């Protein structure tokens, strides 16, 4: 499961004891000086990682990767803003078959051969199918059940990038 940038900023503000939310997060220059990761490269890797996890053959156009998730938090609106950006690609399967879920989970586990490591369960005892894997650069692939209607469970598969500069 992925925690959104806005929630991370709120938690950071509360745990640092500040009286208000401070605009925290890397700048474009921070990204250039550390990882050098660009939005173009990150989007390509996000699309490729998703293609490896989705259980059916799929081709994700790099232009379909969502580039609207910023890495910083606007202190006035508490919304994630950029640049820099966190490229994301997600797809949801409504009422997935057990075979579909099993293939997703097997594909997620197979990402360990590419350097991904399973992240600790954020909510122990929650849906056992909810899991995420992250590589040393900060790229993540994940699967998550969500939705309030038990008659139509939603199973989201996603691929995200660490912060990337334009």
């Amino acid at each position: 499961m992925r925690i959104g940038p806005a929630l991370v900023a709120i938690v950071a503000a509360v745990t640092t004891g500040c009286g208000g939310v401070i605009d925290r997060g890397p700048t474009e220059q921070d990204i250039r000086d550390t990882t050098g990761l660009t939005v173009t490269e990150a989007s390509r890797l996000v699309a490729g990682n998703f293609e490896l996890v989705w259980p059916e053959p799929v081709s994700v156009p790099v232009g379909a990767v969502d580039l609207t998730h910023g890495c910083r938090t606007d202190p006035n609106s508490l919304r994630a803003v950029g640049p820099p950006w966190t490229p994301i690609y997600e797809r949801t399967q409504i009422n997935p078959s057990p075979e579909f879920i099993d293939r997703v989970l097997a594909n997620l586990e197979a990402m360990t051969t590419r350097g991904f490591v399973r992240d600790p369960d954020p909510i122990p005892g929650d849906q056992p199918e909810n899991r995420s894997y992250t590589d040393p650069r900060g790229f993540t692939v994940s699967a998550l059940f969500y939705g309030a209607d038990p008659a139509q469970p939603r199973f989201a598969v996603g691929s995200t990038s660490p912060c990337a500069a334009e």
Side-chain angles (χ1 to χ4, degrees), residues 70-101:
C71 295
R72 295 177 297 110
T73 302
D74 180 327
N76 298 314
S77 68
L78 298 181
R79 291 182 178 236
V81 296
W85 305 101
T86 301
I88 296 173
Y89 188 81
E90 297 174 319
R91 233 185 232 185
T92 298
Q93 184 75 19
I94 298 173
N95 203 17
S97 69
E99 296 80 18
F100 181 92
I101 295 167

Side-chain angles (χ1 to χ4, degrees), residues 119-143:
D119 300 322
D121 290 336
I123 305 172
D126 193 22
Q127 293 278 348
E129 298 85 1
N130 292 355
R131 58 187 71 177
S132 64
Y133 292 72
T134 303
D135 77 359
R137 289 183 70 186
F139 287 86
T140 301
V141 289
S142 60

Side-chain angles (χ1 to χ4, degrees), residues 44-68:
R44 185 180 51 76
L45 291 168
V46 163
N49 289 340
F50 183 87
E51 292 169 356
L52 293 170
V53 174
W54 191 254
E56 300 159 351
V58 64
S59 178
V60 176
V62 172
V65 173
D66 184 355
L67 302 176
T68 62

